[in-house]
Amino acid sequence: APDQPSAAPAIVSQSGGCGVAGGRMTDTRRRVKVYTLNEDRQWDDRGTGHVSSCYVERLKGMSLLVRAESDGSLLLESKINPNTAYQKQQDTLIVWSEAENYDLALSFQEKAGCDEIWEKICQVQGKDPSVDITQDLVDESEEERFDDMSSPGLELPSCELSRLEEIAELVASSLPSPLRREKLALALENEGYIKKLLEIFHVCEDLENIEGLHHLYEIIKGIFLLNRTALFEVMFSEECIMDVIGCLEYDPSLSQSRKHREFLTKTAKFKEVIPISDPELKQKIHQTYRVQYIQDMVLPTPSVFEENMLSTLHSFIFFNKVEIVGMLQEDEKFLTDLFAQLTDEATDEEKRQELVNFLKEFCAFSQTLQPQNRDAFFKTLSNMGILPALEVILGMDDAQVRSAATDIFSYLVEYNPSMVREFVMQEAQQNDDDILLINLIIEHMICDTDPELGGAVLLMGLLRTLVDPENMLATANKTEKTEFLGFFYKHCMHVLTAPLLANTTEDKPSKDDFQTAQLLALILELLTFCVEHHTYHIKNYIINKDILRRVLVLMASKHAFLALCALRFKRKIIGLKDEFYNRYIMKSFLFEPVVKAFLNNGSRYNLMNSAIIEMFEFIRVEDIKSLTAHVIENYWKALEDVDYVQTFKGLKLRFEQQRERQDNPKLDSMRSILRNHRYRRDARTLEDEEEMWFNTDEDDMEDGEAVVPPSDKPKNDEDIMDPISKFMERKKLKESEEKEVLLKTNLSGRQSPSFKLSFSSGTKSNLTSQSSASNLPGSPGSPGSPGSPGSPGSVSKSTSQMAAITTKGGLVGLVDYPDDDEEDDEDEDKEETLPLSKKAKLESS
């Protein structure tokens, strides 16, 4: 039955005045989920809405309407047919069949709403709302119902060939009534009736009595629908199960009988890859296979009313599987032999394939276990050495064996990725990179022979799970993220990127067939994921290995999807607004392949066109100054004629505004120091780069790895201090002039002019500070008072701040003053809150 909808706030439906009570639906009573039954006999959720009932002219009758709560669209319009059997289940479900193969269900949020609609349905059909089903398959009079309740039991006809039709009618008439069904089940249990019926089955087959065989089919099918475990235990016993399957071969609706028994005895073979010594376990495996076959192949697809009647059959199979897994798990000799033969080089290929397929099925069975039992199951396999065994199997030539081993590996990764990560890090201490389990997985992904790369897609998903920091553990003494990512980038990343680097040595891809393009697209998808989630490790890898330049070679691919993958990779990098990446892009002129692809695309309005424009629009909207200047200075001539969007003209305008501020006489050559980051000294969080510097574990940094590109060599303190001293002289002169102007005009409450300057040095160091707000003349912080920016006394304070420069590895944090033309208004708003003293901050770029 469909799941009950979770509680949610009431939503006013827009369906109007068509309702059970004729009013607006303003409560949760009418809130329902609509379900339909698909071909696999699973319920599909068609949406959530509010149900109402009203007369629909087009359908000529009272109908059920469900309108979606999201947009008011019609999810369901169903006429209440006087002859349709509606069934109410579990107080909040109404289920019915609209057509032969179209079953519907309404799952109500509240019982009251279900009762209202049920009353409306019963009113249309002239039924008492106390019933749970509006149309019985066999109508019973009140007297018969009274007899059912008062009689002590059900008397079965004697089990004879001549009375099979009578027995079949009795079974069919008992199914609609729960009470009669209960009595029939008890009678069948107590009298050993099923075994007698199966004896008659042999007689009918010997006599070729087709009519009798058809009756037996109906009887056995009806017994299945009684849904009794005690009856199943008899029917599925070793002596009875094949005869039960035989009865179900003679479906009256088919012109010819099926050959199920022939398939099970001759075609289906039980392969005992490791001898099973326990006869009970062996019998349980046979039984489970046959019952599963009955459920999947023999029994007809149940109708919506019979679905719940087979729940016990599902449970029977489920618990059998649980028992089988438990019994195999406890048999240590069996598992020891299994893994020994799996890894033994002397084992022939056919035998190994059977062993791997058995292990795969064994793991698939484990998915039925409860979480606690599944934990114990995988712990047992881990202790038996399943991961080293998989490593051996994946190194073999047999493609079928490797495929099955990959499926087993996927069960392990999905269950516990940390267990897999711990294993691969431990083996790295003893083995070469080539034979590491994770590298074998990457190689199988790269060498997938499937034209559609089905296996490679699965393996890429597993790799993504393994490198996803979201499912990595962190304890007090170690972080899995630090350890595993350090391992992955050192031992595995070069294997993953090998096809990419091999294919991008020239200006265009050396191989550009469809399968290669698909593989490179998969690799780029994982690298893009790493850019988003790994920050430090991937940044070093991309910059030191010049990965982005190689990726952008793929922009020249004839396959649009691959070119878009390369563009998406660059867009993800630019989206981080990280100046390390920006300097790398500018230094290597990495917009050139993008601009070429844009121009080659011409006037076509396609995804490539839109994606490239969106990238430049992002740079414009986010005002990434360094990239804006780089693009305009180097590519404006190529882009200036593009006028169907305002993106490039907007970039040019941004660039010109920057130049104006730089050319302003007040803003001298020191401005460029702030081109990359402009810090305010108010109560804000650290910028990403700065925060990364402080938060990065020392373990994150491999010895010899550069955090900044090698070309960015720091200057010594004298180089930095020389322009600072010149700046301070000009600042003292400017402050004196400002003080005189303010005193002459008596501008009380105005903020002293603030400005933001920058200069360029080899370190790209930043000089950051803010002027404090001024108050009334004579008050603390006002022009003319000690320590205020407008007074001569502030010079020594500023100078002392400048002296407090902290250096670490050539990185210098200085003090910065905000730009008067950009932040004058903001400073006025904050004149009461800005602090008088500012600290120097360390900046990691």
Side-chain angles (χ1 to χ4, degrees):
D3 295 333
Q4 301 294 315
S6 58
I11 298 174
V12 178
S13 171
Q14 299 178 10
S15 62
C18 176
V20 176
R24 289 177 64 82
M25 293 180 285
T26 57
D27 57 32
T28 55
R29 288 184 304 165
R30 319 268 175 79
R31 193 166 185 267
V32 293
K33 274 186 179 291
V34 179
Y35 290 89
T36 58
L37 201 65
N38 63 27
E39 293 177 356
D40 300 325
R41 309 305 295 171
Q42 300 294 321
W43 288 104
D44 291 335
D45 185 350
R46 294 300 182 189
T48 303
H50 290 82
V51 65
S52 61
S53 67
C54 62
Y55 186 84
V56 176
E57 184 65 34
R58 184 175 62 81
L59 299 176
K60 305 294 184 189
M62 292 296 291
S63 303
L64 297 176
L65 305 178
V66 179
R67 292 194 178 275
E69 66 179 7
S70 57
D71 57 7
S73 61
L74 202 60
L75 295 178
L76 175 71
E77 185 179 55
S78 172
K79 181 182 176 182
I80 302 173
N81 194 311
N83 299 317
T84 296
Y86 289 85
Q87 188 175 5
K88 186 166 78 162
Q89 300 175 3
Q90 302 171 14
D91 291 335
T92 55
L93 280 172
I94 296 176
V95 186
W96 72 98
S97 291
E98 195 87 331
E100 186 175 345
N101 291 316
Y102 189 63
D103 298 331
L104 286 159
L106 294 179
S107 177
F108 288 77
Q109 182 165 326
E110 295 185 10
K111 178 179 182 296
C114 184
D115 291 342
E116 282 184 67
I117 295 297
W118 185 250
E119 285 178 21
K120 179 58 67 176
I121 293 169
C122 292
Q123 181 184 330
V124 172
Q125 294 199 344
K127 299 287 181 181
D128 182 349
S130 62
V131 300
D132 285 337
I133 183 168
T134 60
Q135 302 288 329
D136 283 341
L137 299 181
V138 179
D139 287 331
E140 293 178 311
S141 67
E142 289 299 319
E143 290 180 7
E144 285 175 321
R145 290 186 181 180
F146 179 77
D147 289 343
D148 274 349
M149 290 161 53
S150 59
S151 61
L154 188 71
E155 189 172 339
L156 293 167
S158 57
C159 196
E160 297 172 7
L161 180 59
S162 59
R163 305 191 72 175
L164 282 178
E165 184 176 3
E166 185 183 345
I167 298 168
E169 287 177 358
L170 175 67
V171 171
S173 65
S174 300
L175 289 175
S177 165
L179 187 62
R180 289 174 67 82
R181 218 165 44 234
E182 183 75 17
K183 289 181 178 179
L184 174 61
L186 287 171
L188 290 169
E189 285 175 41
N190 295 336
E191 299 180 23
Y193 210 78
I194 292 173
K195 290 185 178 179
K196 294 176 186 175
L197 286 170
L198 296 177
E199 289 171 7
I200 295 177
F201 166 70
H202 285 290
V203 174
C204 287
E205 273 208 315
D206 293 341
L207 297 174
E208 296 183 357
N209 183 340
I210 300 300
E211 186 183 356
L213 291 169
H214 285 169
H215 289 316
L216 281 166
Y217 171 89
E218 297 292 353
I219 293 167
I220 295 297
K221 180 192 167 190
I223 293 173
F224 267 97
L225 297 177
L226 292 175
N227 212 21
R228 297 279 290 204
T229 305
L231 296 178
F232 286 156
E233 285 174 353
V234 175
M235 294 165 75
F236 300 151
S237 64
E238 189 75 25
E239 57 180 314
C240 296
I241 190 166
M242 294 306 285
D243 291 337
V244 168
I245 292 169
C247 291
L248 293 171
E249 290 179 355
Y250 295 94
D251 186 345
S253 63
L254 302 174
S255 56
Q256 273 193 325
S257 63
R258 302 287 188 185
K259 303 291 183 186
H260 296 304
R261 286 172 293 173
E262 185 178 323
F263 173 83
L264 287 171
T265 53
K266 296 180 180 176
T267 307
K269 300 291 183 185
F270 175 61
K271 291 184 178 178
E272 204 170 345
V273 291
I274 302 289
I276 296 173
S277 55
D278 186 348
E280 185 185 350
L281 173 59
K282 195 181 293 188
Q283 190 273 328
K284 187 76 70 179
I285 292 170
H286 283 299
Q287 183 190 59
T288 304
Y289 175 77
R290 289 166 181 167
V291 176
Q292 186 92 54
Y293 182 83
I294 290 172
Q295 183 191 44
D296 296 340
M297 305 299 297
V298 181
L299 284 177
T301 303
S303 74
V304 66
F305 301 112
E306 296 170 340
E307 182 75 15
N308 289 335
M309 294 180 178
L310 291 175
S311 59
T312 305
L313 181 62
H314 296 299
S315 300
F316 188 92
I317 295 168
F318 172 83
F319 287 112
N320 260 21
K321 287 181 177 180
V322 170
E323 277 189 67
I324 290 168
V325 171
M327 292 165 82
L328 285 172
Q329 198 175 321
E330 291 167 10
D331 192 339
E332 287 189 15
K333 182 180 185 306
F334 179 88
L335 289 178
T336 305
D337 291 348
L338 172 68
F339 284 106
Q341 291 190 37
L342 263 177
T343 53
D344 189 351
E345 292 181 6
T347 306
D348 63 74
E349 286 188 10
E350 187 178 349
K351 176 72 171 177
R352 197 186 313 278
Q353 189 174 330
E354 290 175 357
L355 290 165
V356 174
N357 285 334
F358 169 81
L359 186 57
K360 174 184 166 182
E361 193 172 353
F362 193 32
C363 290
F365 266 35
S366 74
Q367 302 305 296
T368 62
L369 299 175
Q370 295 297 314
Q372 187 176 354
N373 295 335
R374 195 156 63 243
D375 283 351
F377 171 81
F378 280 110
K379 206 165 280 181
T380 301
L381 289 188
S382 179
N383 293 337
M384 298 301 297
I386 188 167
L387 285 166
L390 284 180
E391 198 168 47
V392 172
I393 299 165
L394 287 167
M396 294 178 178
D397 296 330
D398 191 325
Q400 285 185 313
V401 169
R402 289 203 310 267
S403 174
T406 301
D407 290 336
I408 297 166
F409 184 70
S410 71
Y411 284 122
L412 295 170
V413 171
E414 287 165 15
Y415 164 70
N416 190 348
S418 290
M419 178 179 78
V420 178
R421 284 191 284 258
E422 186 178 357
F423 170 77
V424 295
M425 283 191 289
Q426 284 176 353
E427 66 164 351
Q429 298 169 8
Q430 303 159 2
N431 299 334
D432 296 333
D433 287 359
D434 294 344
I435 58 171
L436 296 182
L437 176 60
I438 198 164
N439 284 344
L440 289 172
I441 293 294
I442 294 171
E443 284 171 17
H444 289 318
M445 181 195 80
I446 292 169
C447 301
D448 188 9
T449 54
D450 179 6
E452 297 298 323
L453 293 188
V457 171
L458 169 66
L459 292 171
M460 183 58 74
L462 298 178
L463 284 174
R464 184 170 173 153
T465 302
L466 287 174
V467 300
D468 187 355
E470 294 296 318
N471 61 45
M472 293 184 183
L473 305 174
T475 57
N477 54 358
K478 68 171 183 175
T479 60
E480 190 179 21
K481 178 180 175 181
T482 302
E483 291 185 1
F484 182 75
L485 291 184
F487 156 82
F488 183 79
Y489 280 86
K490 186 174 182 179
H491 297 280
C492 309
M493 186 57 100
H494 67 279
V495 183
L496 178 66
T497 55
L500 171 68
L501 297 175
N503 212 34
T504 54
T505 53
E506 306 296 333
D507 291 340
K508 61 181 183 178
S510 51
K511 282 181 69 180
D512 204 19
D513 58 279
F514 179 70
Q515 195 162 355
T516 303
Q518 272 193 308
L519 175 63
L520 294 179
L522 277 177
I523 293 170
L524 281 178
E525 187 181 330
L526 186 60
L527 289 176
T528 306
F529 176 84
C530 293
V531 166
E532 186 176 2
H533 292 89
H534 292 175
T535 59
Y536 168 81
H537 293 87
I538 189 69
K539 186 191 302 182
N540 272 341
Y541 191 80
I542 288 171
I543 293 174
N544 292 335
K545 303 290 185 184
D546 201 13
I547 295 294
L548 180 56
R549 184 177 65 79
R550 304 295 284 271
V551 167
L552 291 175
V553 170
L554 302 176
M555 292 286 292
S557 171
K558 66 183 180 185
H559 299 285
F561 71 87
L562 180 57
L564 286 165
C565 281
L567 184 64
R568 191 182 306 121
F569 179 71
K570 180 170 182 177
R571 173 65 178 81
K572 184 66 73 175
I573 288 174
I574 290 175
L576 297 176
K577 297 189 286 187
D578 185 318
E579 283 302 316
F580 279 111
Y581 280 130
N582 292 348
R583 285 198 297 275
Y584 162 59
I585 289 169
M586 293 185 294
K587 181 181 174 184
S588 301
F589 293 93
L590 295 181
F591 275 102
E592 188 171 318
V594 177
V595 173
K596 275 186 182 176
F598 182 68
L599 297 176
N600 290 338
N601 191 61
S603 58
R604 283 177 292 177
Y605 178 46
N606 54 17
L607 192 54
M608 177 64 73
N609 175 277
S610 299
I612 292 175
I613 290 174
E614 190 278 334
M615 177 188 289
F616 287 110
E617 182 67 12
F618 177 82
I619 294 170
R620 185 191 70 79
V621 170
E622 295 295 324
D623 195 16
I624 306 176
K625 293 179 172 51
S626 54
L627 295 184
T628 300
H630 177 76
V631 170
I632 297 303
E633 286 170 358
N634 293 283
Y635 307 106
W636 171 243
K637 286 187 178 180
L639 301 170
E640 64 180 331
D641 293 333
V642 180
D643 55 6
Y644 54 87
V645 289
Q646 297 303 306
T647 296
F648 300 108
K649 287 183 171 54
L651 270 177
K652 184 72 160 40
L653 181 62
R654 287 271 195 200
F655 173 70
E656 288 170 350
Q657 289 170 345
Q658 290 178 41
R659 292 291 292 267
E660 277 180 25
R661 287 196 292 271
Q662 288 175 345
D663 295 340
N664 190 317
K666 292 182 181 179
L667 311 176
D668 65 5
S669 61
M670 292 178 67
R671 175 164 185 84
S672 60
I673 194 171
L674 294 175
R675 183 173 293 167
N676 299 329
H677 288 301
R678 297 149 62 96
Y679 292 126
R680 294 182 177 91
R681 294 284 71 89
D682 51 5
R684 299 197 178 197
T685 56
L686 297 175
E687 292 287 341
D688 292 343
E689 297 274 338
E690 196 169 351
E691 193 164 338
M692 188 195 78
W693 175 267
F694 286 110
N695 292 343
T696 300
D697 291 339
E698 290 182 3
D699 295 339
D700 277 4
M701 301 186 187
E702 297 285 350
D703 290 339
E705 286 186 340
V707 179
V708 287
S711 61
D712 294 342
K713 293 180 181 176
K715 287 191 175 183
N716 59 35
D717 289 353
E718 290 179 6
D719 293 337
I720 294 168
M721 292 308 293
D722 182 54
I724 293 174
S725 60
K726 292 177 182 176
F727 165 66
M728 293 311 299
E729 289 174 10
R730 287 195 299 275
K731 182 176 180 299
K732 283 189 278 185
L733 180 61
K734 189 175 188 314
E735 285 172 344
S736 300
E737 292 171 356
E738 288 168 358
K739 177 187 173 187
E740 290 173 12
V741 171
L742 286 168
L743 290 174
K744 284 177 184 176
T745 54
N746 195 24
L747 292 174
S748 62
R750 289 285 297 165
Q751 183 170 350
S752 60
S754 61
F755 47 91
K756 196 166 199 177
L757 300 175
S758 62
F759 66 89
S760 180
S761 73
T763 58
K764 292 183 173 54
S765 302
N766 280 9
L767 179 66
T768 56
S769 179
Q770 282 184 326
S771 59
S772 58
S774 60
N775 296 305
L776 292 172
S779 65
S782 67
S785 62
S788 73
S791 69
S794 67
V795 174
S796 61
K797 181 167 183 176
S798 299
T799 308
S800 67
Q801 284 184 324
M802 289 300 172
I805 297 168
T806 306
T807 61
K808 178 174 180 178
L811 299 171
V812 183
L814 302 170
V815 188
D816 153 305
Y817 289 85
D819 203 344
D820 66 335
D821 59 345
E822 285 190 0
E823 298 178 355
D824 197 53
D825 295 339
E826 186 173 328
D827 287 344
E828 282 182 15
D829 295 339
K830 297 185 177 180
E831 60 189 17
E832 294 294 330
T833 59
L834 288 172
L836 294 175
S837 61
K838 306 291 178 283
K839 290 183 181 179
K841 280 212 172 181
L842 187 65
E843 199 253 332
S844 63
S845 59

